[in-house]
Amino acid sequence: MRKLFGTDGIRAVAGEAPLDAKTIYAVGLALAHQLNGSHQHPRVILGMDTRESSPWIAAVLATGLCKGGAEVESAGVITTPAIAFLARRHGFSAGVVISASHNPWQDNGIKVFGSDGYKLPDETELRIEDEIFRRLESVEAPAPGDPPAANPKYRADYEEFLRSAVPGLDLAGLSVVLDCANGAASAIAPDLFAHLAGTTHLTHRTPNGRNINEACGALHPAVVAAETKTLGADIGVTFDGDADRALFADAHGHVVNGDAVMLLAARDMQQRGLLRNHMVVATTMSNMGLEAALRRDGIRMLRAPVGDKYVLERMQQEQASLGGEQSGHILFPHLATTGDGLLTALVVLDIVRRAGRPLHDLVADLKVFPQVIVNVRVREKRPFDQIVTVAATIRDAETELAESGRVVVRYSGTEALARVMIEAESEVAMRHHADRIAAAIRDELGV
């Protein structure tokens, strides 16, 4: 059972365990030691988002890595998928990102990619965890210092990769709104889209260390949807803090989520002979409406646990060429090793451009089942099947909904939350069961 690593690295309030200086230093030492076991002269590429805590966390982590015998280089403020790309492209032993993705500015995190550009397997994270705890018994936090100086060539390399991944894309005649979430996309999107012609409206691109994800970005897609409609633009795109995912808006001001993007991409890839085994890998959170729409085109939909890491694992098992999450993590393994919001934006814009049809028209037949997600803050994460009242309430919902809905109850991998997702043809039944299950969890585990 992992104690530090969640579904997307280590994440906590910056300055508090496990993101206090002593633990961060131990993480650097432990990671360097692991790398020394498989690389003769380990090199690590480091990147970070725009939170005010990111520089000092990067400085402490780099100190630990260097003390452990690794060489550290920095790409500065850059997206998470950029570090995955750079680790693989430049032969680094590992890539590390300081980011808490969509979380508020007070939080931060440490994400690690291997030399192949993929997130670490669970067993590797467990080995690192064990060593971190051993080292915490003896290490002291280092004196505060400065993070490694950023080398601008790495950002340029990543931007060149994005342009080459979707060659010939020309947005002339299109008007696009880009919500950068005051996060890492703010450092990349302006220059990237300036080379694509068209009219680009950049919003939420002035990070101050504390406004990342604040009433903007992929957590608040209605914001870019409203801006797209107000400006009379063709498409809106919104990223999260580290830009590993993207959501969209059509010209009518409607949000277009990851399910719709997978439908759009699956049809395009199937037409071009790129959709291997006629399948898409989604998660337990994807809507039943997506499954039905794909089925009409002869495409199977498989489900993986929540987390793009687990989607990718299922894709590799099934040899699938497209997968993703409703939240906007979309995986194109023929292009990249991890979800990339900027890459997804370029792919979607390219599909719209080649189709010669508006975004809303391309996904108009996606009939979404009513779905609600209720978050319950919890004090501990006990297995639901071990809590009699909670387990009984979940069984009641599953029995009543049967083939006309779905029940997914899980803990967040990054926060102290239980997530109750109910999907049903009847909105009344959906809300009834979501409220009952949430109340049962709140009574037993609520803060």
Side-chain angles (χ1 to χ4, degrees):
M1 192 73 178
R2 295 177 299 176
K3 298 176 182 177
L4 296 178
F5 287 90
T7 54
D8 204 12
I10 299 171
R11 197 174 296 185
V13 175
E16 299 179 8
L19 277 184
D20 58 299
K22 182 178 178 179
T23 309
I24 294 165
Y25 181 59
V27 171
L29 290 170
L31 177 57
H33 183 256
Q34 290 291 324
L35 295 175
N36 273 310
S38 53
H39 297 79
Q40 195 166 16
H41 301 290
R43 298 165 57 239
V44 177
I45 180 72
L46 190 64
M48 58 186 172
D49 69 16
T50 58
R51 297 162 205 272
E52 69 175 19
S53 61
S54 291
W56 75 258
I57 293 175
V60 174
L61 184 68
T63 301
L65 286 164
C66 292
K67 181 70 174 178
E71 177 187 338
V72 179
E73 294 189 49
S74 174
V77 173
I78 202 164
T79 69
T80 287
I83 291 297
F85 162 77
L86 292 167
R88 186 174 187 174
R89 171 63 63 89
H90 292 283
F92 285 95
S93 310
V96 182
V97 187
I98 310 301
S99 175
S101 189
H102 59 274
N103 285 31
W105 71 269
Q106 296 94 334
D107 293 350
N108 217 322
I110 299 172
K111 305 183 188 186
V112 185
F113 293 90
S115 58
D116 56 3
Y118 291 101
K119 293 180 179 178
L120 299 182
D122 290 353
E123 56 269 24
T124 303
E125 291 180 342
L126 278 170
R127 286 200 304 271
I128 295 173
E129 271 196 10
D130 289 343
E131 184 165 350
I132 291 169
F133 287 120
R134 287 198 304 272
R135 289 181 178 272
L136 280 173
E137 296 174 2
S138 57
V139 302
E140 294 296 331
D146 296 322
N151 187 334
K153 78 172 185 179
Y154 292 121
R155 184 186 298 175
D157 284 354
Y158 174 60
E159 290 181 15
E160 177 54 35
F161 153 70
L162 289 173
R163 285 190 284 269
S164 64
V166 189
L169 177 59
D170 184 346
L171 301 181
L174 277 182
S175 176
V176 182
V177 179
L178 297 173
D179 181 341
C180 297
N182 291 316
S186 305
I188 308 288
D191 185 61
L192 176 66
F193 279 81
H195 288 81
L196 298 176
T199 301
T200 302
H201 306 275
L202 289 156
T203 68
H204 305 104
R205 53 162 297 196
T206 54
N208 62 15
R210 296 191 173 194
N211 61 358
I212 187 170
N213 301 314
E214 184 179 29
C216 61
L219 273 190
H220 306 277
V223 173
V224 79
E227 290 168 339
T228 302
K229 185 175 181 180
T230 298
L231 291 168
D234 298 293
I235 297 178
V237 189
T238 185
F239 307 102
D240 61 342
D242 65 339
D244 62 352
R245 57 179 165 134
L247 295 177
F248 296 81
D250 65 25
H252 298 306
H254 299 137
V255 173
V256 177
N257 67 15
D259 283 355
V261 172
M262 283 189 279
L263 177 62
L264 183 78
R267 287 171 168 167
D268 179 71
M269 291 174 68
Q270 183 166 324
Q271 289 172 0
R272 295 193 289 153
L274 299 175
L275 192 68
R276 295 175 65 183
N277 297 323
H278 305 287
M279 74 169 62
V280 172
V281 177
T283 74
T284 53
M285 303 303 283
S286 279
N287 196 275
M288 293 176 73
L290 171 61
E291 196 167 0
L294 288 168
R295 191 183 303 118
R296 289 194 294 271
D297 286 299
I299 301 171
R300 287 189 298 146
M301 189 179 97
L302 307 181
R303 293 185 187 271
V306 172
D308 60 329
K309 175 177 178 175
Y310 303 116
V311 173
L312 182 60
E313 286 180 1
R314 185 72 188 274
M315 290 173 67
Q316 291 170 334
Q317 292 168 5
E318 303 289 345
Q319 296 187 318
S321 54
L322 176 64
E325 299 187 279
Q326 190 182 70
S327 60
H329 287 113
I330 308 298
L331 294 160
F332 302 101
H334 63 294
L335 297 175
T337 59
T338 190
D340 187 328
L342 288 162
L343 177 62
T344 300
L346 297 181
V347 169
V348 169
L349 288 165
D350 183 51
I351 293 172
V352 170
R353 169 59 82 201
R354 285 186 287 103
R357 296 161 59 194
L359 179 59
H360 62 83
D361 190 34
L362 292 170
V363 295
D365 65 324
L366 177 58
K367 304 303 180 186
V368 177
F369 277 45
Q371 182 187 86
V372 66
I373 300 174
V374 180
N375 293 323
V376 181
R377 191 157 293 281
V378 295
R379 62 181 180 273
E380 61 176 325
K381 295 182 178 181
R382 286 165 53 200
F384 297 120
D385 60 3
Q386 295 180 12
I387 308 171
V388 175
T389 55
V390 174
T393 310
I394 292 172
R395 280 196 304 273
D396 288 347
E398 290 173 335
T399 300
E400 184 173 321
L401 294 175
E403 298 299 315
S404 63
R406 292 192 307 124
V407 180
V408 180
V409 184
R410 67 180 186 88
Y411 290 113
S412 167
T414 58
E415 297 175 87
L417 294 174
R419 302 196 193 278
V420 180
M421 190 281 282
I422 303 288
E423 196 171 273
E425 290 180 298
S426 163
E427 188 161 351
V428 172
M430 172 194 75
R431 296 197 176 278
H432 168 72
H433 289 295
D435 290 343
R436 282 194 71 220
I437 295 171
I441 294 172
R442 199 174 289 113
D443 287 345
E444 296 285 350
L445 302 173
V447 175

